Amino acid sequence: MPTSLEVTKAAIDDFKKIQKYMSLAKEENATKTYAELKDEYLSLKAILQVCGVNLADIDKIKE
């Protein structure tokens, strides 16, 4: 069973990856892809906030 630290690290890694893909989708004007990624972004953001992660430095999208 993963520890809370392992779960938090995995969520942070996924959050950073999703933000990168969102930036690319926005740059390419891929609105449907961006919308799907945004759903995942919001879910990960909520998980990280519950875990007590300060998103100020890692949240580049800020939506």
Side-chain angles (χ1 to χ4, degrees), residues 32-49:
K32 289 181 182 179
T33 302
Y34 187 88
E36 288 296 319
L37 289 167
K38 186 174 178 181
D39 284 344
E40 187 70 19
Y41 161 83
L42 292 173
S43 296
L44 286 167
K45 189 173 182 175
I47 290 167
L48 291 171
Q49 287 174 332

Side-chain angles (χ1 to χ4, degrees), residues 3-18:
T3 66
S4 61
L5 184 60
E6 292 170 327
V7 171
T8 303
K9 184 193 177 319
I12 289 171
D13 291 344
D14 289 345
F15 187 74
K16 289 168 61 177
K17 191 183 314 180
I18 289 293

